[in-house]
Amino acid sequence: MKNDYLKEKARKVRIEAIDMIYTAGSGHPGGSLGVADLLTYLYYNVLKTNASKPSWNGRDRFILSNGHVCPALYAVLAEKGFFKKDRLKTLRKMNGLQGHPERGSLPGIETSAGPLGLGLGISCGMALKAKMDGEKHHIYCMMSDGEQDEGVTWEAAMFAAKNKLDNLTAIIDRNKIQLSGPTEKIMPLENLKEKYEAFNWNVIEIKGHDFNEMKKIKTRKKGKPTLIIANTIPGKGVSFMEGKFEWHGKAPNKSERDQAIKELNKQ
Amino acid sequence: MINYEKLKASREGFGIGIVKAALENKNILALSADLSESLKLEEFKNRFPERYIEVGVAEQNLAAVGAGLALEGKIPFITSFASFSPSINWGQIRVSICYNNANVKIASSHAGITTGEDGATHQALEDIAITRVLPKMNVIVPADATEAEKATIETSKTKNPTYLRLGREKFPQVTEESEFRIGKANILKKGSDLTLIACGNMVFQALKASEILEKKGIEVEVINNHTIKPLDSKTILQSAKKTGTIFTVEEHQTAGGMGSAVAEAISGEGIHLEIIGVEDKFGQSGSASELLEKYGLSANKIVERIIKHKKLIQNV
């Protein structure tokens, strides 16, 4: 898909995400807006998926490890036709879309996620299975930068390198904030690229809102897992949310929601 | 009933069972967190090297990788010590395995006080509690190596996340004449005075206790309650209604374990229940038999508890 098309899709995803979180009265707008471009690009230009056959074995697997940004994932899946868009308004309501993803509750959700650090290990298991059985699909795992604090992330990083899981691509949403402050203040991660390289990964850094740079997501290196460090701006697209850790996990009120939608409608 | 000739640890039965299960089903895998020898996986490793996965000393990732493999259709047995898995990785087990309903089998050895010389850190006394509270999880505690082998094979045929609790120490076999069905408790010995429910190594102690009590004129019904979840409430209630009194015995904290599961099942039925186990303490180094004595879990100690209770009743 061309960049203009992707831009329009990502804009719609952002509007849906803001509306969902506003209607729910709680949720995580910062990360959801920050990953909207990446998720749009992945679902329109990278992942082999089939909305009418969501469990088709040849599909690429997309594991969302930082489950709290699920409003953006739900919006992209609805946009792609995995389920009807009217379900988006049920976010965080009884019998509706879960506040953190639940496998089996919606087509296209590969794993439940919420507690951080769970996704990379699961992705390793999936990638290893594909290798064992000679299957050609690829496994993509999105993580937050905050969840690099979790020790299990590094256990999985070692495992992926040991097993030469070159059918695994992890993507870190490097927005430099976490719940209670900047990542470099809460628990410094830098130099993140060198850390993963030391763990024997193939690491590529991209601008996380630049569709041209996202072409690099398909880069592979034989015998090594690949990490894409996608530098993003949390709250991207809504001026008063951009770069603010305070918007990590807070719903907008009515006037903030209206202001956000107004801004997004102009883009 | 008790085969003193054949001394074997339940973990040895697991090692045999997983090989037999793997011969039947190519999807069965064994994952190890650097403890393959302790889990008796040598033969599995030799026969199915391509189905043996070493994750290193990383129990959290052990559970996570297991979940990923299971979501893709494999049947992974993730193996470690009961004091590390399911404890260090409980969060992974809760969400990635149980909430996902991933068909992962958690096989853990060195459960209970009979782990012995390694001491308290390695004597898992809380594992039944933290696994049985998880929705979708089955919890199985084989009584001996014979039963562990059968339980491993039967477990491999189900689709449920399952915790299989295994022991380090060799004991006589007590289930050679028993059938094994998940969720079906076995009455090993009939009796009318009281019901003694045991699991794991304690089944042997319970049978021995019942022999001593028999000589004192107390007829004990002994139940091997190998499946803690789903619990066979029917068999337990039927027996309890006949005898009016239940004693449970397990190598586990009295809080939250097998006895607690029985208490939940008989609550409101007017049945007297005493739970024998480790009472809110950590263990210590020692031989298995010394520790069983010290922590009140030997056949003799079980007999003492039951006689004390009988005397209390007679004095009423």
Side-chain angles (χ1 to χ4, degrees), chain A residues 61 111-112 129 155 162, chain B residues 54 61 69 72 74 100:
Chain A
R61 311 300 194 260
T111 184
S112 306
K129 191 272 180 184
E155 293 179 10
K162 175 195 171 187
Chain B
E54 179 57 72
N61 198 44
L69 288 161
E72 293 294 319
K74 296 291 185 189
N100 267 342

Side-chain angles (χ1 to χ4, degrees), chain B residues 59-73:
Chain B
E59 293 81 13
Q60 294 191 69
N61 198 44
L62 172 77
V65 170
L69 288 161
L71 293 176
E72 293 294 319

Side-chain angles (χ1 to χ4, degrees), chain A residues 57 61 101-103 110-112 115 118 121-122 124-126 128-129 132-133 152 155-156 159 162, chain B residues 29 50-51 53-55 58-61 64-65 67-69 71-72 74 91-92 95-96 99-100:
Chain A
N57 194 47
R61 311 300 194 260
E102 179 190 8
R103 182 182 164 96
E110 300 283 358
T111 184
S112 306
L118 303 186
I122 290 177
C124 285
M126 290 179 162
L128 185 63
K129 191 272 180 184
M132 286 174 121
D133 291 356
V152 66
E155 293 179 10
F159 182 90
K162 175 195 171 187
Chain B
L29 310 174
E50 72 295 346
R51 286 153 69 181
I53 299 157
E54 179 57 72
V55 304
E59 293 81 13
Q60 294 191 69
N61 198 44
V65 170
L69 288 161
L71 293 176
E72 293 294 319
K74 296 291 185 189
Q92 270 75 15
V95 175
S96 300
Y99 192 38
N100 267 342

